[in-house]
Amino acid sequence: MAAPAVHYVRIDEGSEGQRLDNFLIKTLKGAPKTLVYRIIRSGEVRVNKARASADTRLTLGDEVRVPPVRLPEPQTEAASVPAREFPILFEDEHLIAINKPAGVAVHGGSGVSFGVIEQLRRARPQARFLELVHRLDKETSGVLLVAKKRSALVTLQDCFRHRTAHKTYAAMVIGQWPVARKVIDVALHKFLTGDGERRVKAVAEDADEGRRSITLVKVVQQFSRFALLDVTIKTGRTHQIRVHLAHEGHPIIGDEKYGDFALNKALARGAMVEGLKFDRMFLHARELRLPHPVTGEELALMAPLPAECQALVDHLG
């Protein structure tokens, strides 16, 4: 194997605006973060021939000196990622809005070898930049944004951070939702279980570990044993909708983490709704409204209910 050598990278539009440390972590795939920060601190990394700090923002045309670093042999798993396109709701030169199916993670990690973004990159090898703007749980379907330029990524993420992106979800819950219950303002605390699994629980408003979380609920249709809701989140906490609705005594059907295990099993084997088996979580990101990252015009992105969810609604109705 050839010895590693110094190389120079010219910053293009795909890397413009990135912090130096994040750029190196991405460039030196497989390098431990401790190594990345060490070579920055030692001055081995240079930007335009000058020393730079980890938080230096890279600009178009900058030249980055990357010192010789011996990296682990590349893993072969990447080659096993299947190329996959997803249903497109909107696309231009700045972003893609896809309709993510349930059961597909948005990215690899935590026991998942690949997700939407890895499959999309594999399907579009010519794309110079594809990055997730936000996340959806693996079990949740619906509108998911992918940026095609770093400038679009930064602008779109600012929309989510500053609450100018408005997301509405369709959720089917157990029981009849009280129509007067329109706002859930309950703090949430994220923690890891003994097996290292990520979980969230509702906590008291004044709990040190809690973060204020607000969910708005509107009843779309009441059935005898279930309710179809439109849910809008004012804060984007992990598992927020799932935990808030369960905390109110109306868990989402099919939710394996916070739902009713026995009822979910009965639904899956067709024992709850005559003539229909339903075996997924009924949470769907049906609408996303936000300003376009370049024109500023409002984008109204809509994802119709998946066929299996629509079939359940039709059966119940």
Side-chain angles (χ1 to χ4, degrees):
M1 187 177 78
V6 170
H7 66 283
Y8 294 85
V9 182
R10 184 73 62 182
I11 298 302
D12 61 14
E13 194 180 52
S15 300
E16 181 185 13
Q18 259 194 318
R19 284 172 50 121
L20 178 60
D21 52 357
N22 292 334
F23 169 77
L24 289 169
I25 288 164
K26 190 172 180 181
T27 302
L28 299 171
K29 288 188 182 2
K33 288 186 180 180
T34 50
L35 172 62
V36 168
Y37 288 105
R38 191 174 77 232
I39 61 176
I40 293 173
R41 281 196 307 271
S42 68
E44 294 173 75
V45 176
R46 300 275 171 143
V47 177
N48 301 327
K49 301 184 179 178
R51 292 178 75 121
S53 58
D55 61 358
T56 297
R57 293 279 174 186
L58 299 171
T59 58
L60 195 63
D62 279 351
E63 184 184 70
V64 180
R65 176 194 189 272
V66 182
V69 173
R70 191 173 293 280
L71 299 172
E73 285 295 306
Q75 299 298 304
T76 55
E77 282 87 352
S80 66
V81 175
R84 181 177 178 184
E85 287 279 358
F86 296 87
I88 303 292
L89 302 170
F90 174 87
E91 181 172 5
D92 63 11
E93 66 268 35
H94 306 286
L95 69 127
I96 314 167
I98 68 170
N99 188 359
K100 184 187 91 66
V104 182
V106 294
H107 58 74
S110 302
V112 179
S113 54
F114 59 84
V116 168
I117 194 66
E118 291 86 3
Q119 290 179 287
L120 196 57
R121 287 172 183 154
R122 186 83 172 165
R124 301 185 179 205
Q126 76 289 355
R128 297 176 67 186
F129 186 89
L130 289 173
E131 291 287 351
L132 290 166
V133 174
H134 60 117
R135 308 282 190 269
L136 287 178
D137 290 345
K138 180 181 177 181
E139 302 87 355
T140 305
S141 54
V143 186
L144 179 70
L145 289 187
V146 175
K148 295 168 77 173
K149 295 185 177 182
R150 179 157 297 282
S151 53
L153 176 68
V154 171
T155 303
L156 289 167
Q157 287 182 333
D158 279 346
C159 288
F160 283 88
R161 196 172 295 116
H162 298 127
R163 314 291 173 214
T164 54
H166 304 288
K167 290 189 283 186
T168 302
Y169 293 77
M172 184 81 78
V173 298
I174 299 170
Q176 292 209 334
W177 186 269
V179 177
R181 189 75 168 117
K182 296 179 179 178
V183 181
I184 306 170
D185 186 352
V186 175
L188 297 176
H189 169 54
K190 184 164 63 174
F191 64 99
L192 291 177
T193 66
D195 325 342
E197 190 181 358
R198 185 177 58 172
R199 286 293 176 98
V200 178
K201 65 180 178 181
V203 294
E205 184 182 343
D206 57 354
D208 290 340
E209 72 275 18
R211 299 183 71 191
R212 189 181 185 191
S213 307
I214 301 172
T215 301
L216 307 182
V217 181
K218 176 186 173 186
V219 175
V220 175
Q221 207 168 349
Q222 299 270 29
F223 305 103
S224 59
R225 289 176 292 181
F226 306 105
L228 179 61
L229 309 176
D230 256 359
V231 184
T232 306
I233 50 176
K234 291 297 183 183
T235 50
R237 312 294 183 216
T238 301
H239 299 169
Q240 177 175 325
I241 294 174
R242 299 164 66 177
V243 177
H244 268 176
L245 298 183
H247 178 70
E248 294 297 313
H250 299 274
I252 297 172
I253 64 173
D255 188 343
E256 294 182 352
K257 278 195 168 102
Y258 307 103
D260 182 320
F261 182 76
L263 184 140
N264 291 343
K265 286 288 185 188
L267 270 171
R269 65 174 185 267
M272 282 289 293
V273 180
E274 189 177 346
L276 185 75
K277 294 179 180 180
F278 189 81
D279 191 15
R280 60 157 288 186
M281 181 170 70
F282 198 128
L283 184 61
H284 176 70
R286 70 169 189 80
E287 181 179 353
L288 174 60
R289 292 179 181 270
L290 78 174
H292 187 279
V294 174
T295 67
E297 292 180 18
E298 185 181 66
L299 285 174
L301 305 163
M302 313 277 192
L305 271 182
E308 65 275 14
C309 294
Q310 190 60 58
L312 178 61
V313 172
D314 294 343
H315 263 70
L316 292 174

